[in-house]
Amino acid sequence: MNKLSSFLEQKFMPTAVKIGNQRHLQAIRDGIVLTIPLIIIGSLFLIIAYFPIPGYDSFMKNVFGPNWQTSLLMPVGVTFDLLAVFVVVGVSYRLAEHYKLDALSVVVTSVAAFMLVTPYEISFTPEGTDQVYQVRGIPLDLTSSKGMFVAIIVAIITTEIYRYIVKKNIIIKMPAGVPPAVAKSFASLIPGFIVLLILWMLSLLLKATPFENMHNIVYVILGKPLSLLGGSYWGAIIAVIVAQLLWVTGIHGQGLVWGIMSPVWLALIDENRQAFVSGKEIPHIVNTQFMDIFYSIGGSGTTLGLAILLLFRSRSKQLKQLGRLAIGPGIFNINEPITFGLPIIMNPIMMIPFIFVPVVIVTVSYFAMDFGLVAKTAGIMVPWTTPAPIGGFLATGNHISGAILQIVNVLISMALYYPFFRLYDNQKLKEEQNKTE
């Protein structure tokens, strides 16, 4: 056990800190966070549009007309269908902020660059014919989750080129009396021109290849392999183990791992949403909602079960008091009182279940959905602080099986944590008795 603790502290932790502090990864993580409120807003309208009450659809048609659902889904479209645009804005802004550039100018240039590399053409087949026409327009699937990888790449490329030009002082400087807003606009002229010129030339070059555009080449080389890995059972297990190992060294594991995997998992969420709205079979099990709702019950490590044990089964006064403090936040999936107060970090007893319990929970949840015992997540973005079993019910498209699975997961976690909790509780009780004597 000492060897494991020593390895984590001396080898694993320094590497993880360097990765977590890498500026591009930080910008991607913080930039994607920008999209979360919008996705949640869109998801609320999605829940209302498909509320599972008998006669609900007929009632809404009688009150609001036959096209009530189309109107209600409009906010869903302007949130989910523009995810890539929001990601361009978020990533470029955060990276420009890190470099202390004029973030607004960088964001505007990044959005223009993203539109430049996105094909302005849509295939259209009129109803009742086999003839395919090409019409002018931006394909919504490329501005939604499918375009997120290109959005991230374009945001980083734009900001780095912009920074280089500004660093070399190749900008137009206005006299001192010119208003700051006007001076910043002229200062962004040359960097913006060079960015768009480079990406325009790249776009023309790719058009002459079989890939035709940046979206296709990124999807084939990067998007598809990551989706296959990230959306698989083993991809989820690897993500969980790495996140838990980071946590026990004192690093926010979900913040780092989820930041890397979010582009993949958000894209899978959107594909589930499209299938759910179309009435088709939902394709993916693993995505952000699967990980947040079924693995993070009580927080990373499925620690709500541990919080319940601390509150109701502790004999140690210290752990009993910690249980009283931890149960409230734990219900809303916040477990810092446990991870730092128990503590779990570098605790040779509690770090063992903290790592393997989530692996068991993810395994049970995955195969429960794979075998059809539990409904898959329906692409509805439920806030990660939503208490169980409400979160499971909403995330699976208002399906009771999702709520039941969350309850089962809490019971499993309690059973698995119990031997280690009892060992640690006895240790603390003995310490308290020795102090009293």
Side-chain angles (χ1 to χ4, degrees), residues 315-371:
R315 293 187 294 166
S316 160
K317 292 180 181 179
Q318 177 187 336
L319 297 190
K320 175 74 76 174
Q321 182 62 31
L322 178 62
R324 294 192 187 101
L325 294 172
I327 192 66
I331 290 171
F332 295 94
N333 304 320
I334 298 167
N335 70 345
E336 274 74 6
I338 288 179
T339 53
F340 295 101
L342 189 60
I344 285 176
I345 294 170
M346 302 308 293
N347 184 328
I349 296 175
M350 298 309 300
M351 63 193 288
I352 296 174
F354 188 73
I355 293 170
F356 83 77
V357 168
V359 174
V360 175
I361 295 299
V362 167
T363 300
V364 170
S365 301
Y366 182 92
F367 287 105
M369 293 183 182
D370 191 41
F371 294 149

Side-chain angles (χ1 to χ4, degrees), residues 257-425:
V257 176
W258 270 229
I260 296 170
M261 296 305 299
S262 283
V264 176
W265 288 342
L266 286 174
L268 299 179
I269 277 182
D270 197 36
E271 289 180 21
N272 281 11
R273 175 191 65 89
Q274 293 172 19
F276 178 68
V277 170
S278 304
K280 299 177 182 177
E281 183 181 353
I282 294 175
H284 305 294
I285 295 175
V286 179
N287 51 51
T288 305
Q289 281 294 270
F290 174 84
M291 302 300 286
D292 284 350
I293 299 300
F294 297 103
Y295 143 73
S296 301
I297 306 172
S300 296
T302 323
T303 51
L304 181 57
L306 179 56
I308 294 171
L309 291 174
L310 288 169
L311 179 60
F312 294 106
R313 300 294 295 171
S314 292
R315 293 187 294 166
S316 160
K317 292 180 181 179
Q318 177 187 336
L319 297 190
K320 175 74 76 174
Q321 182 62 31
L322 178 62
R324 294 192 187 101
L325 294 172
I327 192 66
I331 290 171
F332 295 94
N333 304 320
I334 298 167
N335 70 345
E336 274 74 6
I338 288 179
T339 53
F340 295 101
L342 189 60
I344 285 176
I345 294 170
M346 302 308 293
N347 184 328
I349 296 175
M350 298 309 300
M351 63 193 288
I352 296 174
F354 188 73
I355 293 170
F356 83 77
V357 168
V359 174
V360 175
I361 295 299
V362 167
T363 300
V364 170
S365 301
Y366 182 92
F367 287 105
M369 293 183 182
D370 191 41
F371 294 149
L373 301 175
V374 175
K376 298 175 185 176
T377 55
I380 298 168
M381 196 71 170
V382 180
W384 60 270
T385 51
T386 306
I390 299 171
F393 176 75
L394 295 176
T396 52
N398 304 326
H399 203 284
I400 192 64
S401 63
I404 293 171
L405 178 59
Q406 280 197 304
I407 294 171
V408 170
N409 284 349
V410 172
L411 295 174
I412 292 173
S413 71
M414 289 177 67
L416 295 177
Y417 270 115
Y418 185 80
F420 300 90
F421 154 76
R422 179 53 64 210
L423 179 64
Y424 193 60
D425 184 46

